[in-house]
Amino acid sequence: MRGIRFYQCPTTILAHDSAVGGKTGINHPAGKNMIGTFYQPAAVVYDTEMLSSLPEEQVRSGMAEVIKHAFLSNPHWLDELLGTADITALTGSQLELHLSRGIAVKAAIVEEDALEQGARKFLNLGHTLAHAIEAHAGYGTVTHGEAVALGLAFDLLIGGHDRLEDYLKWCAANRYPLELLSDFDIRELLPYMKRDKKSSRGELVFIELADTGCPALRVLEEQEVISFYHKLGQKIKEVLG
Ligand SMILES: NC(=O)c1ccc[n+]([C@@H]2O[C@H](COP(=O)([O-])OP(=O)(O)OC[C@H]3O[C@@H](n4cnc5c(N)ncnc54)[C@H](O)[C@@H]3O)[C@@H](O)[C@H]2O)c1
Ligand SMILES: [Zn+2]
């Protein structure tokens, strides 16, 4: 059946992201999505009726990729999301609006750079730390989106984004497991981050975000990562009180 055409029918919020762009992948103990290829579906059929049965944890997971798209593109949309104290209470039509905006952001970047030689890397906002957490915790222990929520906080911190605190409050209100950060020893996460796909020579590569819509690649020294990680832990403690 190699090379057959196929249709993709996403059933999660998270998949508004993964169903666009033709990436396929499997996880490996050495790293997240470590083995895979690009193979475009003939079409994506997204029936949002399916989303009404998603458990709360999966709504939270998917909405982390939605807010990532907002951070990458549009401060007004970001304000709207940050003003949503309970993302599990969105109506069907509100959710559809957020998803169509997210898909538009992803599609525009993928059209420009399908094979991730440039701009597509920015979609990896939050993912250097997220993938390390998922691999280290054991796949399935932490949802992808929950890990992305923590990774996003890290990338906002290193960029000095002025909405970091509001974002952490939003995460807390929406019950993202921010307290998990203190469960991990950053030194144990470093080897995973050095094998990240954005890293070609074992450097530590992040997507920093100084302003909404302005992502940039940032290479950090080991010591810097450790110190930013501890700084984020402190900020989280302050926000959680
Ligand atoms: N975000 C991305 O761009 C991207 C890219 C590639 C891979 N991925 C990976 O995809 C994986 C997870 O994908 P996912 O969360 O979309 O799918 P999933 O199949 O893992 O679904 C998550 C859980 O929700 C349940 N579920 C799915 N649809 C449901 C529905 N409509 N109603 C009730 N329950 C439902 C599933 O049974 C499962 O328990 C992660 O490992 C992630 O890293 C993401
Ligand atoms: Zn993702």
Side-chain angles (χ1 to χ4, degrees):
M1 304 290 270
R2 274 175 281 196
I4 58 165
R5 280 157 54 85
F6 76 108
Y7 293 93
Q8 213 153 286
C9 304
T11 67
T12 63
I13 294 174
L14 188 99
H16 88 279
D17 183 7
S18 48
V20 180
K23 277 192 183 177
T24 64
I26 57 170
N27 302 330
H28 185 274
K32 179 89 183 163
N33 302 330
M34 192 53 93
I35 300 154
T37 186
F38 291 95
Y39 191 65
Q40 299 289 350
V44 179
V45 182
Y46 199 7
D47 178 358
T48 51
E49 286 277 309
M50 303 279 292
L51 304 177
S52 56
S53 57
L54 275 180
E56 199 179 302
E57 182 191 57
Q58 293 301 327
V59 173
R60 199 175 296 126
S61 178
M63 289 306 288
E65 297 281 10
V66 174
I67 204 164
K68 176 195 82 176
H69 284 136
F71 269 117
L72 283 172
S73 64
N74 182 334
H76 305 296
W77 178 25
L78 180 65
D79 281 346
E80 245 177 81
L81 283 168
L82 288 177
T84 307
D86 184 2
I87 49 170
T88 61
L90 288 170
T91 64
S93 56
Q94 286 171 324
L95 181 58
E96 271 190 30
L97 184 68
H98 290 308
L99 292 176
S100 52
R101 287 175 181 162
I103 290 166
V105 172
K106 172 105 187 219
I109 294 179
V110 169
E111 267 172 35
E112 189 186 322
D113 173 27
L115 298 181
E116 198 159 327
Q117 302 303 303
R120 189 163 182 177
K121 287 194 172 78
F122 297 143
L123 290 168
N124 227 235
L125 182 67
H127 282 61
T128 308
L129 179 61
H131 284 159
I133 288 176
E134 285 181 271
H136 185 59
Y139 301 111
T141 315
V142 185
T143 65
H144 178 61
E146 286 171 339
V148 168
L150 286 168
L152 267 175
F154 188 84
D155 287 351
L156 298 179
L157 178 87
I158 65 173
H161 197 293
D162 64 3
R163 302 305 300 274
L164 172 66
E165 213 169 299
D166 296 331
Y167 170 70
L168 290 176
K169 286 180 185 157
W170 176 85
C171 286
N174 282 293
R175 297 185 291 282
Y176 284 89
L178 293 176
E179 66 287 354
L180 270 185
L181 200 84
S182 53
D183 287 0
F184 300 106
D185 178 348
I186 180 62
R187 288 172 200 282
E188 289 177 13
L189 297 176
L190 290 170
Y192 295 98
M193 300 202 262
K194 289 178 181 171
R195 287 195 294 268
D196 185 275
K197 66 181 168 186
K198 300 184 289 309
S199 166
S200 48
R201 290 180 207 85
E203 324 94 317
L204 294 157
V205 186
F206 296 82
I207 309 295
E208 70 170 357
L209 197 70
D211 284 307
T212 304
C214 301
L217 279 180
R218 170 105 177 255
V219 179
L220 294 176
E221 296 300 326
E222 220 172 277
Q223 212 40 51
E224 293 177 296
V225 176
I226 294 170
S227 117
F228 278 128
Y229 191 85
H230 291 138
K231 206 167 157 190
L232 181 59
Q234 271 307 321
K235 286 236 170 253
I236 288 175
K237 269 200 197 122
E238 284 164 29
V239 167
L240 294 180

